Amino acid sequence: MMLRTFLPKPEQRFAAVGTALGALVSAAWFATETTLPQQSTAHWDVPAVLAAGAMPFILGGSFYRWRYSRRLELELHAARRAERRLRHEVHRDKLTGLANRAALEVDIRQALVADGAAFERSALLLLDLDRFKAVNDTMGHDAGDRLLKQFSARLRRAFAGDASVYRLGGDEFVVSAAGASSQAEAEAVATRIERLFEQPFDLGEAQVASGCSIGVAFVERSDTATGDVLKRADLALYEAKAISGNSHAFHSETMSHAVRQRAEAERALARGLKEEEFFLEFLPIAGAETGAIRGFEALLRWQHPLRGVIAAEDFELPEQGAATLALGAWALATALRHAVTWPSPMGLTLVPFAPQLKDRDFVGQVERCLGQAGLPAGRLTVEVAEDFASEDLALVADNLRGLRALGVRVALGGGAASSLPLNPFPNLKPDQVTIDLSAVRNAHGVERSTALLACLIKTGQVLHLSIAVSGIEKESEADCARACGAAEIRGPWLSPSLTDVTGLLAVAGSSDRRYSA
């Protein structure tokens, strides 16, 4: 214990032991020479004495160096074990035990640096589980984790020795098939993955049937990073998700071109907002029975520097772009500032962009804009003119219920009112349904449009719905809408859209007749 206190390092203690042993050997030699006087003259020479004197230093240094080398060797082995363990942890997904994104990047990087004939074109399949969010939301995250583990086990067994399997995170997986260099071979791999869902997953409290969407891309010689391949696979996955059930899609240059176009559209919208190129026009809405102006529909217009004035339906709106939400917020705030100057109870009808209706902050945004403009919520009608995917309906319905709670009127129109029954949102009865006569005319022809309009209005009345008709182009269509009991009409026959409604409001205040262009 005392030795450890004064000599804390193992090498120092081993050197001390070696020195002591060397001194003991030298002492023994000197003692031997002293007790054997007859041999003293032969051994007491200068080299022997020097060797005996140096023995403690030689043994002490040798012990120190041996112990130091041994310690370095042990530390090196420990460092290698720690490196292997760390590499395993860094490149493995903790939940499923599969290789993770870091491992995928390493493997693809090694494939890309292969020279000449050593490079092998391979298929990369990006998987996304169907209904995984529903399992998490209804059964809990533990059930979701069990689903991921069971699917990972099926993947591992199915492709053992044939392909590499990775989990990127969440419910996204990758299968990298080095032997699949053609579309037919990649198609076979995708089919094998889809067959893994033929049997349901036993999650304990219930058995769950699932599926997946698969985006397929190929690792090409021209790729420079993992992100290049994953970006193409993600575009293909987006296409596969549009197909119901187990499905897969291959990346094509058309998809990349569409992405570039969306990016260009996003930049153009952002520039147009900055340069104040957008403005609103207002389409008069009249009572079908009296023809009196009841309100206006706000229509977005773009004074494009190259294309001139274009309507919102004629320019591309990126589905997930920030500029789309910013433009929608500008249109909402601007329309409300106009509407507050109109005589009460004249209303404003606004058709938001689809991304706005899927934005969780949309209700709060409407509430703030109403407060800033000072317009009563009951004078605003939000019209839904889009058909939404089934996975978006719940969120859109929540937003519509939130608007109703504010006192805002909710109408269904456009694609949402193309046929009857009209309401895709359960437990939400709209304040109004707008029948787009232009869509009816385009789908069934001019001759049948009026008769079909009458049928739609009558069906709406049976369902106790207030019906409005847009796209009125002829007096006969207006007469039909009135005779069948429509509440409101709007369209070119009544009036074109206007940037300044002051004159029309002045006329409306002095007369209650029908106003036509």
Side-chain angles (χ1 to χ4, degrees), residues 332-333 336 340 348 363-380 403 406-408:
L332 171 65
L336 292 175
V340 78
L348 168 69
V363 176
Q365 184 183 85
V366 171
E367 185 176 17
R368 290 190 297 271
C369 290
L370 284 170
Q372 292 168 2
L375 185 75
R379 290 176 61 184
L380 173 63
L403 293 175
L406 293 178
V408 175

Side-chain angles (χ1 to χ4, degrees), residues 325 329 332 336 352-353 355-372 377 380 382 394-410 428:
L325 292 176
L332 171 65
L336 292 175
F353 301 139
Q356 287 180 278
L357 290 168
K358 293 186 288 185
D359 182 11
R360 297 187 182 277
D361 188 46
F362 182 58
V363 176
Q365 184 183 85
V366 171
E367 185 176 17
R368 290 190 297 271
C369 290
L370 284 170
Q372 292 168 2
L380 173 63
V382 170
L395 177 56
V396 175
D398 285 344
N399 279 338
L400 295 180
R401 282 190 286 268
L403 293 175
R404 291 287 295 276
L406 293 178
V408 175
R409 300 176 74 247
V410 172
L428 178 71

Side-chain angles (χ1 to χ4, degrees), residues 43 80 108 156 168 210-211 235 248 272 307 317 332 355 386 392 415 434 440 517:
H43 292 86
R80 287 174 176 171
I108 292 183
R156 189 185 291 110
L168 297 190
S210 186
L235 292 176
H248 60 273
R307 299 169 59 187
L317 291 168
L332 171 65
E386 296 281 348
D392 296 325
T434 303
V440 175

Side-chain angles (χ1 to χ4, degrees), residues 10-177:
E11 295 82 2
Q12 294 173 337
R13 295 194 291 274
F14 268 76
V17 172
T19 302
L21 288 175
L24 184 61
V25 171
S26 298
W29 183 82
F30 281 118
T32 302
E33 292 299 320
T34 303
T35 58
L36 299 173
Q38 69 276 12
Q39 296 180 1
S40 61
T41 56
H43 292 86
W44 281 91
D45 53 13
V46 174
V49 171
L50 290 177
M55 185 62 67
F57 301 100
I58 295 172
L59 286 182
S62 299
F63 271 58
Y64 179 89
R65 188 164 186 83
W66 175 82
R67 176 57 188 174
Y68 183 74
S69 300
R70 179 62 178 166
R71 184 173 70 87
L72 287 182
E73 183 180 352
L74 292 174
E75 289 179 353
L76 181 60
H77 285 308
R80 287 174 176 171
R81 286 195 301 270
E83 182 183 1
R84 286 193 297 269
R85 184 175 62 255
L86 182 60
R87 186 183 297 114
H88 182 272
E89 292 177 355
V90 168
H91 292 95
R92 287 287 161 184
D93 176 61
K94 292 183 178 179
L95 178 65
T96 64
L98 296 177
N100 60 13
R101 185 188 182 104
L104 175 64
E105 292 181 351
V106 170
D107 293 345
I108 292 183
R109 193 181 306 120
Q110 290 176 349
L112 294 177
V113 298
D115 295 328
F119 174 79
E120 185 178 7
R121 186 174 188 253
S122 60
L124 185 142
L125 296 87
L126 179 61
L127 289 64
D128 186 281
L129 291 181
D130 296 338
R131 296 182 292 279
F132 176 71
K133 184 177 184 301
V135 171
N136 268 344
D137 292 344
T138 59
M139 302 176 64
H141 289 279
D142 289 341
D145 288 347
R146 287 195 291 273
L147 175 59
L148 293 174
K149 289 179 180 178
Q150 291 184 29
F151 176 61
S152 300
R154 291 186 186 184
L155 273 178
R156 189 185 291 110
R157 288 194 300 268
F159 292 99
D162 295 335
S164 301
V165 182
Y166 309 82
R167 181 189 176 213
L168 297 190
D171 61 335
E172 283 194 336
F173 295 81
V174 164
V175 174
S176 178

Side-chain angles (χ1 to χ4, degrees), residues 285-289 294 383 409-413 416-423 429-437 440 452-470 472 480-482 484-490:
I285 301 173
E289 183 64 32
R294 290 187 173 185
E383 185 170 293
R409 300 176 74 247
V410 172
L412 299 182
S418 59
S419 61
L420 295 172
L422 301 167
N423 191 357
K429 182 179 180 180
D431 297 285
Q432 183 174 282
V433 170
T434 303
I435 298 173
D436 185 359
L437 186 54
V440 175
L452 288 170
L453 173 63
C455 291
L456 290 172
I457 295 175
K458 292 297 184 182
T459 306
Q461 288 178 332
V462 171
L463 297 174
H464 304 289
L465 296 171
S466 175
I467 302 296
V469 182
S470 67
I472 297 289
C480 174
R482 185 188 319 105
C484 293
E488 293 179 351
I489 58 173
R490 60 184 185 260

Side-chain angles (χ1 to χ4, degrees), residues 282-288 293 295-299 348-351 381 383-385 409 411-414 432-438 441 467-474 477-478 481 486-496 515:
F282 296 92
L283 183 68
I285 301 173
I293 301 300
F296 297 89
E297 179 187 1
L299 303 174
L348 168 69
T349 296
L350 184 73
V351 181
T381 299
E383 185 170 293
V384 181
R409 300 176 74 247
L412 299 182
Q432 183 174 282
V433 170
T434 303
I435 298 173
D436 185 359
L437 186 54
S438 299
R441 195 183 295 115
I467 302 296
V469 182
S470 67
I472 297 289
E473 296 181 351
K474 298 184 294 185
E477 295 170 345
E488 293 179 351
I489 58 173
R490 60 184 185 260
W493 176 81
L494 179 71
S495 171
Y515 305 95

